Amino acid sequence: MKLLKPLVGAAALVALPTLTLAQDGPTPGVNASTDTVFILNSLLFLVGGFLVFFMAAGFAMLEAGLVRGKNVTMQLTKNMGLFSLATVFYYLIGYNLMYPLGTWSVEGVLSGVFGPGVLEAVGVTSDAADDYSYASTGSDFFFQLMFCAATASIVSGALAERIKLWPFLIFTIVLTSIIYPIQASWKWGGGFLDGMGFLDFAGSTVVHSVGGWAALVGALILGPRIGKYKDGKTIPMPGSNLTLATLGTFILWMGWFGFNGGSQLAMGTVGDVADVSRIFANTNAAAAGGALVALILTQVLYKKPDLTMILNGALAGLVSITAEPLTPSLGMATLIGGVGGVIVVFAVPFLDKLKIDDVVGAIPVHLFAGIWGTIAVVITNGDASLMVQLYSILVVGIFTVVASGIVWMVLKTTMGIRVGEEEEIMGLDTTELGMEAYPEFSKG
Protein backbone atom coordinates (compact mmCIF):
# COMPACT_ATOMS: atom_id res chain seq x y z
CA MET A 1 0.00 0.00 0.00
CA LYS A 2 1.19 3.49 -0.79
CA LEU A 3 1.00 5.72 2.27
CA LEU A 4 1.07 9.07 0.49
CA LYS A 5 -0.61 10.61 -2.47
CA PRO A 6 2.09 11.64 -4.99
CA LEU A 7 3.98 14.73 -3.90
CA VAL A 8 4.42 16.36 -7.30
CA GLY A 9 3.12 19.41 -9.09
CA ALA A 10 4.31 22.34 -7.03
CA ALA A 11 7.88 21.83 -8.15
CA ALA A 12 7.40 24.41 -10.87
CA LEU A 13 6.77 27.00 -8.16
CA VAL A 14 9.60 26.22 -5.77
CA ALA A 15 12.95 24.54 -6.13
CA LEU A 16 12.80 21.37 -4.09
CA PRO A 17 14.50 18.00 -4.28
CA THR A 18 12.63 15.44 -6.32
CA LEU A 19 10.51 13.26 -4.07
CA THR A 20 9.67 9.73 -5.12
CA LEU A 21 7.30 7.19 -3.73
CA ALA A 22 8.57 3.73 -2.93
CA GLN A 23 7.61 1.15 -5.53
CA ASP A 24 7.30 -2.56 -5.08
CA GLY A 25 10.48 -4.51 -5.62
CA PRO A 26 11.43 -5.60 -9.14
CA THR A 27 9.73 -8.66 -10.54
CA PRO A 28 12.22 -11.51 -11.14
CA GLY A 29 13.18 -11.66 -14.81
CA VAL A 30 11.57 -8.31 -15.65
CA ASN A 31 13.52 -5.06 -15.99
CA ALA A 32 10.95 -2.29 -16.52
CA SER A 33 12.37 1.00 -17.76
CA THR A 34 11.72 4.25 -15.94
CA ASP A 35 9.84 5.45 -19.02
CA THR A 36 7.45 2.53 -18.68
CA VAL A 37 6.82 3.19 -14.99
CA PHE A 38 6.22 6.89 -15.66
CA ILE A 39 3.79 6.12 -18.48
CA LEU A 40 1.85 3.41 -16.64
CA ASN A 41 1.57 5.39 -13.40
CA SER A 42 0.36 8.43 -15.32
CA LEU A 43 -2.12 6.25 -17.19
CA LEU A 44 -3.52 4.90 -13.92
CA PHE A 45 -4.13 8.46 -12.70
CA LEU A 46 -5.82 9.45 -15.94
CA VAL A 47 -8.06 6.38 -16.16
CA GLY A 48 -8.85 6.53 -12.44
CA GLY A 49 -9.47 10.27 -12.74
CA PHE A 50 -12.04 10.06 -15.49
CA LEU A 51 -13.82 7.25 -13.64
CA VAL A 52 -14.03 9.50 -10.59
CA PHE A 53 -15.14 12.35 -12.86
CA PHE A 54 -18.10 10.23 -13.94
CA MET A 55 -19.10 10.11 -10.27
CA ALA A 56 -20.15 13.75 -10.75
CA ALA A 57 -22.85 12.44 -13.07
CA GLY A 58 -23.70 9.82 -10.47
CA PHE A 59 -24.17 12.40 -7.73
CA ALA A 60 -26.27 14.55 -10.07
CA MET A 61 -28.56 11.67 -11.07
CA LEU A 62 -28.86 10.36 -7.50
CA GLU A 63 -29.84 13.79 -6.19
CA ALA A 64 -32.16 14.52 -9.12
CA GLY A 65 -33.97 11.28 -8.39
CA LEU A 66 -34.26 11.74 -4.63
CA VAL A 67 -35.50 15.34 -4.56
CA ARG A 68 -39.07 16.29 -5.45
CA GLY A 69 -39.84 17.22 -9.05
CA LYS A 70 -40.09 20.93 -8.27
CA ASN A 71 -36.42 21.04 -7.24
CA VAL A 72 -34.68 18.83 -9.81
CA THR A 73 -33.33 21.63 -12.01
CA MET A 74 -31.80 23.31 -8.97
CA GLN A 75 -29.93 20.15 -8.00
CA LEU A 76 -28.58 19.75 -11.51
CA THR A 77 -27.52 23.41 -11.56
CA LYS A 78 -25.76 23.06 -8.23
CA ASN A 79 -23.86 20.00 -9.43
CA MET A 80 -22.70 21.72 -12.60
CA GLY A 81 -21.69 24.78 -10.62
CA LEU A 82 -19.89 23.01 -7.81
CA PHE A 83 -17.79 20.85 -10.12
CA SER A 84 -16.75 23.83 -12.23
CA LEU A 85 -15.91 25.94 -9.17
CA ALA A 86 -13.91 23.07 -7.64
CA THR A 87 -11.93 22.81 -10.87
CA VAL A 88 -11.00 26.50 -10.86
CA PHE A 89 -10.32 27.00 -7.16
CA TYR A 90 -8.44 23.76 -6.58
CA TYR A 91 -6.13 24.93 -9.35
CA LEU A 92 -5.82 28.47 -7.97
CA ILE A 93 -5.35 27.61 -4.29
CA GLY A 94 -6.13 24.08 -3.19
CA TYR A 95 -3.59 21.91 -5.01
CA ASN A 96 -0.51 23.52 -3.52
CA LEU A 97 -2.15 23.84 -0.10
CA MET A 98 -2.64 20.08 -0.23
CA TYR A 99 0.84 19.14 -1.45
CA PRO A 100 3.55 21.33 0.12
CA LEU A 101 6.41 19.04 -1.04
CA GLY A 102 7.96 19.28 2.40
CA THR A 103 7.70 23.08 2.50
CA TRP A 104 5.48 24.08 5.42
CA SER A 105 4.69 27.51 6.84
CA VAL A 106 3.55 25.62 9.96
CA GLU A 107 5.38 22.30 10.06
CA GLY A 108 3.08 19.43 9.15
CA VAL A 109 -0.03 21.63 9.46
CA LEU A 110 -0.12 24.39 6.83
CA SER A 111 1.60 24.40 3.46
CA GLY A 112 4.21 27.00 2.69
CA VAL A 113 3.55 26.71 -1.05
CA PHE A 114 0.96 29.24 -2.18
CA GLY A 115 -0.21 29.98 -5.69
CA PRO A 116 -1.77 28.22 -8.68
CA GLY A 117 -0.74 24.77 -9.77
CA VAL A 118 1.67 24.62 -12.70
CA LEU A 119 1.82 21.80 -15.24
CA GLU A 120 4.89 20.52 -17.01
CA ALA A 121 5.89 22.11 -20.31
CA VAL A 122 4.39 21.02 -23.61
CA GLY A 123 6.31 18.02 -24.97
CA VAL A 124 8.36 17.68 -21.80
CA THR A 125 11.26 15.23 -21.95
CA SER A 126 12.32 12.84 -19.25
CA ASP A 127 15.14 15.06 -18.02
CA ALA A 128 12.73 17.99 -17.46
CA ALA A 129 9.75 16.13 -15.96
CA ASP A 130 8.82 17.19 -12.43
CA ASP A 131 9.19 13.62 -11.19
CA TYR A 132 10.41 11.33 -13.96
CA SER A 133 10.68 8.40 -11.59
CA TYR A 134 6.96 8.60 -10.82
CA ALA A 135 4.23 10.23 -12.94
CA SER A 136 3.27 13.36 -14.85
CA THR A 137 2.11 16.42 -12.93
CA GLY A 138 -0.96 16.81 -15.14
CA SER A 139 -2.17 13.29 -14.40
CA ASP A 140 -1.68 13.81 -10.68
CA PHE A 141 -3.49 17.16 -10.65
CA PHE A 142 -6.40 15.75 -12.67
CA PHE A 143 -6.77 12.74 -10.36
CA GLN A 144 -6.62 14.76 -7.13
CA LEU A 145 -9.07 17.37 -8.44
CA MET A 146 -11.73 14.70 -8.90
CA PHE A 147 -11.53 13.78 -5.21
CA CYS A 148 -11.86 17.42 -4.21
CA ALA A 149 -14.97 17.89 -6.33
CA ALA A 150 -16.55 14.73 -4.91
CA THR A 151 -16.33 16.23 -1.42
CA ALA A 152 -18.48 19.18 -2.48
CA SER A 153 -21.00 16.89 -4.17
CA ILE A 154 -21.68 15.21 -0.83
CA VAL A 155 -22.86 18.49 0.68
CA SER A 156 -25.18 19.31 -2.20
CA GLY A 157 -27.68 16.50 -1.67
CA ALA A 158 -28.02 16.83 2.08
CA LEU A 159 -29.06 20.49 1.90
CA ALA A 160 -31.37 20.17 -1.09
CA GLU A 161 -34.76 21.81 -1.54
CA ARG A 162 -34.28 24.80 0.76
CA ILE A 163 -30.82 26.34 0.28
CA LYS A 164 -30.13 29.32 -1.97
CA LEU A 165 -27.91 28.68 -4.96
CA TRP A 166 -25.26 31.38 -4.59
CA PRO A 167 -24.51 30.94 -0.87
CA PHE A 168 -24.09 27.22 -1.55
CA LEU A 169 -21.68 27.92 -4.38
CA ILE A 170 -19.68 30.35 -2.22
CA PHE A 171 -19.42 27.65 0.45
CA THR A 172 -18.20 25.27 -2.26
CA ILE A 173 -15.38 27.68 -3.12
CA VAL A 174 -14.15 27.75 0.48
CA LEU A 175 -14.56 24.00 0.92
CA THR A 176 -12.64 23.03 -2.19
CA SER A 177 -9.91 25.67 -2.04
CA ILE A 178 -9.18 25.78 1.70
CA ILE A 179 -11.02 23.38 4.04
CA TYR A 180 -10.57 20.16 2.08
CA PRO A 181 -6.95 20.78 0.94
CA ILE A 182 -5.68 21.77 4.39
CA GLN A 183 -6.95 18.69 6.19
CA ALA A 184 -5.97 16.46 3.24
CA SER A 185 -2.40 17.77 3.52
CA TRP A 186 -2.25 16.38 7.06
CA LYS A 187 -2.44 12.86 5.61
CA TRP A 188 -1.81 12.82 1.86
CA GLY A 189 0.55 15.79 1.83
CA GLY A 190 2.86 14.24 4.41
CA GLY A 191 1.55 16.25 7.35
CA PHE A 192 1.34 15.48 11.05
CA LEU A 193 -1.41 12.83 10.84
CA ASP A 194 0.60 10.90 8.28
CA GLY A 195 3.62 11.17 10.53
CA MET A 196 1.64 9.60 13.35
CA GLY A 197 0.77 6.61 11.16
CA PHE A 198 -2.80 7.48 10.20
CA LEU A 199 -4.03 5.18 7.42
CA ASP A 200 -6.73 6.26 4.99
CA PHE A 201 -6.04 4.63 1.63
CA ALA A 202 -8.54 6.47 -0.57
CA GLY A 203 -10.39 8.81 1.77
CA SER A 204 -13.09 7.43 4.07
CA THR A 205 -12.11 10.29 6.38
CA VAL A 206 -10.13 12.67 4.15
CA VAL A 207 -12.90 12.86 1.52
CA HIS A 208 -16.14 11.32 2.72
CA SER A 209 -16.32 12.29 6.36
CA VAL A 210 -15.22 15.83 5.48
CA GLY A 211 -18.14 16.15 3.08
CA GLY A 212 -20.39 14.55 5.70
CA TRP A 213 -19.29 16.91 8.50
CA ALA A 214 -19.78 19.95 6.26
CA ALA A 215 -23.23 18.67 5.30
CA LEU A 216 -24.20 17.99 8.92
CA VAL A 217 -23.22 21.47 10.07
CA GLY A 218 -25.04 22.99 7.11
CA ALA A 219 -28.19 20.96 7.82
CA LEU A 220 -28.19 22.03 11.47
CA ILE A 221 -27.82 25.73 10.62
CA LEU A 222 -30.22 25.58 7.67
CA GLY A 223 -32.98 23.66 9.43
CA PRO A 224 -35.38 21.06 8.02
CA ARG A 225 -37.69 21.49 5.04
CA ILE A 226 -41.15 22.94 5.69
CA GLY A 227 -43.52 20.17 6.70
CA LYS A 228 -40.85 17.50 7.18
CA TYR A 229 -41.53 17.10 10.89
CA LYS A 230 -45.04 17.55 12.32
CA ASP A 231 -46.44 16.62 15.72
CA GLY A 232 -43.48 14.42 16.52
CA LYS A 233 -43.78 12.51 13.24
CA THR A 234 -41.57 12.41 10.16
CA ILE A 235 -43.54 13.17 7.01
CA PRO A 236 -42.30 11.23 3.96
CA MET A 237 -41.31 13.40 0.98
CA PRO A 238 -40.72 10.88 -1.83
CA GLY A 239 -38.21 11.64 -4.54
CA SER A 240 -39.24 12.40 -8.08
CA ASN A 241 -37.57 9.57 -9.96
CA LEU A 242 -36.19 6.38 -8.42
CA THR A 243 -35.04 5.26 -11.86
CA LEU A 244 -32.62 8.20 -11.98
CA ALA A 245 -31.56 7.57 -8.38
CA THR A 246 -30.75 3.95 -9.20
CA LEU A 247 -28.84 4.97 -12.31
CA GLY A 248 -26.89 7.48 -10.23
CA THR A 249 -26.00 4.80 -7.69
CA PHE A 250 -24.67 2.43 -10.34
CA ILE A 251 -22.65 5.28 -11.88
CA LEU A 252 -21.14 6.04 -8.47
CA TRP A 253 -20.46 2.33 -7.95
CA MET A 254 -18.56 2.21 -11.25
CA GLY A 255 -16.68 5.43 -10.52
CA TRP A 256 -15.52 4.01 -7.21
CA PHE A 257 -13.25 1.57 -9.04
CA GLY A 258 -11.24 4.61 -10.11
CA PHE A 259 -11.60 6.21 -6.70
CA ASN A 260 -10.10 3.25 -4.84
CA GLY A 261 -8.14 1.53 -7.59
CA GLY A 262 -6.39 4.70 -8.69
CA SER A 263 -5.36 5.33 -5.09
CA GLN A 264 -2.84 2.51 -5.39
CA LEU A 265 -0.90 5.35 -7.04
CA ALA A 266 1.31 3.04 -9.08
CA MET A 267 0.94 0.61 -11.96
CA GLY A 268 4.55 0.05 -12.98
CA THR A 269 5.08 -3.44 -11.55
CA VAL A 270 3.35 -6.79 -11.47
CA GLY A 271 2.66 -6.30 -7.78
CA ASP A 272 1.01 -2.92 -8.33
CA VAL A 273 -1.29 -4.22 -11.05
CA ALA A 274 -2.22 -7.24 -8.95
CA ASP A 275 -3.01 -4.90 -6.05
CA VAL A 276 -5.19 -2.66 -8.24
CA SER A 277 -7.08 -5.77 -9.33
CA ARG A 278 -7.53 -6.81 -5.71
CA ILE A 279 -8.82 -3.32 -4.83
CA PHE A 280 -11.39 -3.47 -7.65
CA ALA A 281 -12.69 -6.82 -6.41
CA ASN A 282 -12.86 -5.73 -2.76
CA THR A 283 -14.57 -2.45 -3.66
CA ASN A 284 -17.25 -4.31 -5.59
CA ALA A 285 -17.73 -6.84 -2.78
CA ALA A 286 -18.23 -4.12 -0.17
CA ALA A 287 -20.87 -2.38 -2.27
CA ALA A 288 -22.75 -5.65 -2.73
CA GLY A 289 -22.53 -6.35 1.00
CA GLY A 290 -23.99 -2.96 1.88
CA ALA A 291 -26.84 -3.31 -0.62
CA LEU A 292 -27.76 -6.83 0.46
CA VAL A 293 -27.76 -6.00 4.17
CA ALA A 294 -29.99 -2.97 3.54
CA LEU A 295 -32.32 -5.12 1.42
CA ILE A 296 -32.66 -7.78 4.13
CA LEU A 297 -32.86 -5.35 7.06
CA THR A 298 -35.61 -3.23 5.53
CA GLN A 299 -37.60 -6.38 4.75
CA VAL A 300 -37.26 -7.49 8.38
CA LEU A 301 -37.93 -4.08 9.95
CA TYR A 302 -40.58 -2.67 7.60
CA LYS A 303 -41.98 -5.86 6.02
CA LYS A 304 -41.09 -4.46 2.59
CA PRO A 305 -37.71 -3.73 1.01
CA ASP A 306 -36.90 -0.01 0.70
CA LEU A 307 -35.13 0.85 -2.57
CA THR A 308 -33.74 4.14 -1.28
CA MET A 309 -32.18 2.32 1.66
CA ILE A 310 -30.74 -0.32 -0.68
CA LEU A 311 -29.18 2.37 -2.87
CA ASN A 312 -27.66 4.12 0.12
CA GLY A 313 -26.61 0.76 1.57
CA ALA A 314 -24.49 0.12 -1.53
CA LEU A 315 -22.95 3.59 -1.27
CA ALA A 316 -22.28 3.14 2.45
CA GLY A 317 -20.53 -0.14 1.66
CA LEU A 318 -18.34 1.69 -0.83
CA VAL A 319 -17.50 4.44 1.65
CA SER A 320 -16.74 1.82 4.33
CA ILE A 321 -14.14 0.02 2.21
CA THR A 322 -12.49 3.20 0.94
CA ALA A 323 -10.11 3.61 3.90
CA GLU A 324 -8.60 0.17 3.26
CA PRO A 325 -9.62 -1.61 0.07
CA LEU A 326 -6.37 -3.53 -0.39
CA THR A 327 -5.70 -5.74 2.63
CA PRO A 328 -9.12 -7.35 3.31
CA SER A 329 -10.12 -10.69 1.81
CA LEU A 330 -13.20 -10.72 -0.38
CA GLY A 331 -15.25 -12.08 2.50
CA MET A 332 -14.02 -9.45 4.94
CA ALA A 333 -14.62 -6.69 2.38
CA THR A 334 -18.21 -7.91 2.04
CA LEU A 335 -18.64 -7.82 5.83
CA ILE A 336 -17.11 -4.34 6.14
CA GLY A 337 -19.49 -3.10 3.46
CA GLY A 338 -22.36 -4.92 5.13
CA VAL A 339 -21.82 -2.98 8.33
CA GLY A 340 -22.13 0.16 6.22
CA GLY A 341 -25.55 -1.08 5.15
CA VAL A 342 -26.55 -1.56 8.78
CA ILE A 343 -25.40 1.96 9.59
CA VAL A 344 -27.59 3.49 6.88
CA VAL A 345 -30.74 1.60 7.82
CA PHE A 346 -30.55 2.74 11.44
CA ALA A 347 -28.93 6.16 11.00
CA VAL A 348 -31.52 7.58 8.60
CA PRO A 349 -34.44 7.29 11.08
CA PHE A 350 -32.10 8.32 13.92
CA LEU A 351 -31.39 11.64 12.19
CA ASP A 352 -35.12 12.11 11.63
CA LYS A 353 -35.70 11.67 15.36
CA LEU A 354 -33.22 14.48 15.92
CA LYS A 355 -35.03 16.52 13.23
CA ILE A 356 -31.91 16.72 11.10
CA ASP A 357 -33.21 16.81 7.54
CA ASP A 358 -30.84 15.11 5.11
CA VAL A 359 -32.68 14.81 1.80
CA VAL A 360 -30.55 12.11 0.16
CA GLY A 361 -29.02 10.35 3.18
CA ALA A 362 -25.55 11.82 2.63
CA ILE A 363 -24.71 12.12 6.33
CA PRO A 364 -25.26 8.42 7.19
CA VAL A 365 -23.54 7.30 3.99
CA HIS A 366 -20.51 9.56 3.95
CA LEU A 367 -20.00 10.62 7.57
CA PHE A 368 -21.15 7.65 9.65
CA ALA A 369 -19.95 4.97 7.24
CA GLY A 370 -16.76 6.98 6.67
CA ILE A 371 -16.00 6.88 10.38
CA TRP A 372 -16.72 3.15 10.47
CA GLY A 373 -14.51 2.49 7.47
CA THR A 374 -11.61 4.40 9.01
CA ILE A 375 -11.88 2.38 12.21
CA ALA A 376 -12.24 -0.88 10.27
CA VAL A 377 -8.73 -0.45 8.85
CA VAL A 378 -7.34 -1.97 12.04
CA ILE A 379 -9.18 -5.25 11.35
CA THR A 380 -7.10 -6.16 8.30
CA ASN A 381 -4.05 -3.88 8.28
CA GLY A 382 -1.50 -4.73 10.94
CA ASP A 383 0.19 -1.34 10.56
CA ALA A 384 -2.91 0.53 11.75
CA SER A 385 -3.32 1.80 15.31
CA LEU A 386 -6.85 2.14 16.66
CA MET A 387 -5.92 5.15 18.79
CA VAL A 388 -4.27 6.91 15.85
CA GLN A 389 -7.28 6.22 13.63
CA LEU A 390 -9.69 7.56 16.28
CA TYR A 391 -7.50 10.59 16.97
CA SER A 392 -7.33 11.42 13.26
CA ILE A 393 -11.11 11.08 12.85
CA LEU A 394 -11.53 13.48 15.78
CA VAL A 395 -9.00 16.02 14.51
CA VAL A 396 -10.42 16.12 10.99
CA GLY A 397 -13.96 16.25 12.37
CA ILE A 398 -13.31 19.15 14.73
CA PHE A 399 -11.46 21.13 12.07
CA THR A 400 -14.18 20.60 9.46
CA VAL A 401 -17.04 21.35 11.85
CA VAL A 402 -15.47 24.56 13.11
CA ALA A 403 -14.35 25.79 9.68
CA SER A 404 -17.65 24.89 8.00
CA GLY A 405 -19.66 26.36 10.85
CA ILE A 406 -17.86 29.69 10.53
CA VAL A 407 -18.45 29.84 6.78
CA TRP A 408 -22.13 28.84 7.04
CA MET A 409 -22.79 31.39 9.81
CA VAL A 410 -21.06 34.19 7.91
CA LEU A 411 -23.13 33.40 4.83
CA LYS A 412 -26.33 33.20 6.89
CA THR A 413 -25.63 36.57 8.52
CA THR A 414 -24.52 38.43 5.41
CA MET A 415 -26.68 37.14 2.58
CA GLY A 416 -28.93 34.47 4.01
CA ILE A 417 -28.69 30.82 3.06
CA ARG A 418 -32.33 29.74 3.01
CA VAL A 419 -34.99 30.59 0.47
CA GLY A 420 -38.27 32.15 1.64
CA GLU A 421 -41.25 30.03 2.69
CA GLU A 422 -43.21 30.77 -0.47
CA GLU A 423 -40.25 29.92 -2.70
CA GLU A 424 -39.65 26.65 -0.87
CA ILE A 425 -43.30 25.60 -1.14
CA MET A 426 -43.51 26.45 -4.83
CA GLY A 427 -40.15 24.82 -5.57
CA LEU A 428 -36.72 26.23 -6.31
CA ASP A 429 -36.88 25.43 -10.00
CA THR A 430 -39.48 28.07 -10.79
CA THR A 431 -38.72 30.60 -8.04
CA GLU A 432 -34.91 30.60 -8.13
CA LEU A 433 -34.25 29.52 -11.72
CA GLY A 434 -37.42 30.12 -13.70
CA MET A 435 -37.33 26.72 -15.38
CA GLU A 436 -38.53 23.23 -14.60
CA ALA A 437 -37.08 19.77 -15.19
CA TYR A 438 -40.50 18.31 -15.99
CA PRO A 439 -42.63 21.24 -17.27
CA GLU A 440 -45.23 18.98 -18.90
CA PHE A 441 -46.19 17.64 -15.47
CA SER A 442 -46.51 21.00 -13.70
CA LYS A 443 -49.88 22.20 -12.53
CA GLY A 444 -51.82 24.88 -14.36
Side-chain angles (χ1 to χ4, degrees), residues 101 103 158 160 201 269 348 368:
L101 286 172
T103 300
F201 193 96
T269 69
V348 168
F368 296 168

Side-chain angles (χ1 to χ4, degrees), residues 41-405:
N41 288 352
S42 300
L43 180 63
L44 177 66
F45 291 154
L46 294 173
V47 173
F50 74 65
L51 280 170
V52 181
F53 164 76
F54 202 39
M55 291 175 73
F59 278 115
M61 293 302 97
L62 178 68
E63 293 171 24
L66 293 181
V67 300
R68 290 170 289 179
K70 62 185 180 180
N71 296 308
V72 171
T73 303
M74 176 60 83
Q75 286 309 110
L76 299 176
T77 302
K78 284 164 60 181
N79 276 274
M80 287 296 294
L82 72 86
F83 189 89
S84 301
L85 286 169
T87 296
V88 172
F89 283 90
Y90 189 67
Y91 148 67
L92 289 175
I93 303 171
Y95 186 53
N96 284 329
L97 272 184
M98 190 165 161
Y99 293 117
L101 286 172
T103 300
W104 301 90
S105 58
V106 179
E107 185 62 32
V109 177
L110 182 63
S111 174
V113 184
F114 300 98
V118 178
L119 303 181
E120 288 152 324
V122 175
V124 69
T125 55
S126 59
D127 58 340
D130 286 341
D131 194 345
Y132 173 57
S133 65
Y134 193 60
S136 68
T137 299
S139 67
D140 173 51
F141 171 80
F142 179 73
F143 185 65
Q144 302 305 333
L145 166 62
M146 299 305 125
F147 282 65
C148 180
T151 307
S153 296
I154 294 167
V155 183
S156 172
L159 309 182
E161 302 200 321
R162 74 269 199 207
I163 192 168
K164 293 179 179 179
L165 175 62
W166 289 105
F168 170 78
L169 294 179
I170 292 171
F171 179 82
T172 295
I173 292 172
V174 179
L175 178 66
T176 57
S177 64
I178 298 173
I179 297 174
Y180 169 78
I182 287 177
Q183 61 81 34
S185 76
W186 300 342
K187 167 56 190 171
W188 291 339
F192 74 100
L193 293 181
D194 183 66
M196 294 177 63
F198 175 45
L199 300 183
D200 190 5
F201 193 96
S204 287
T205 286
V206 172
V207 177
H208 294 283
S209 77
V210 168
W213 286 120
L216 175 60
V217 175
L220 289 170
I221 294 173
L222 193 62
R225 287 168 289 175
I226 296 171
K228 179 64 178 176
Y229 305 110
K230 284 185 178 180
D231 303 323
K233 295 181 180 180
T234 300
I235 308 302
M237 293 182 172
S240 62
N241 193 326
L242 292 183
T243 303
L244 278 185
T246 304
L247 174 64
T249 300
F250 274 116
I251 291 173
L252 288 167
W253 190 328
M254 184 181 73
W256 233 286
F257 297 127
F259 202 98
N260 287 355
S263 293
Q264 173 70 11
L265 305 180
M267 198 171 69
T269 69
V270 170
D272 284 324
V273 174
D275 283 351
V276 171
S277 306
R278 183 183 177 98
I279 290 166
F280 272 48
N282 281 341
T283 298
N284 187 67
L292 287 173
V293 167
L295 168 66
I296 295 167
L297 264 183
T298 52
Q299 174 70 57
V300 171
L301 294 174
Y302 308 126
K303 309 307 178 187
K304 294 179 181 179
D306 185 324
L307 176 60
T308 61
M309 288 288 194
I310 296 167
L311 300 179
N312 276 330
L315 297 177
L318 289 162
V319 172
S320 298
I321 202 64
T322 293
E324 184 48 88
L326 175 60
T327 57
S329 65
L330 281 170
M332 183 56 69
T334 306
L335 291 174
I336 290 170
V339 173
V342 173
I343 289 170
V344 161
V345 171
F346 288 102
V348 168
F350 172 71
L351 288 179
D352 281 332
K353 287 183 179 179
L354 298 177
K355 296 185 178 180
I356 299 173
D357 188 10
D358 176 358
V359 178
V360 303
I363 295 167
V365 167
H366 297 279
L367 176 55
F368 296 168
I371 291 171
W372 152 244
T374 306
I375 295 170
V377 175
V378 303
I379 299 173
T380 63
N381 191 324
D383 294 329
S385 161
L386 178 59
M387 294 309 297
V388 170
Q389 296 298 102
L390 291 173
Y391 175 77
S392 300
I393 291 168
L394 186 64
V395 167
V396 171
I398 291 173
F399 170 75
T400 307
V401 166
V402 172
S404 298

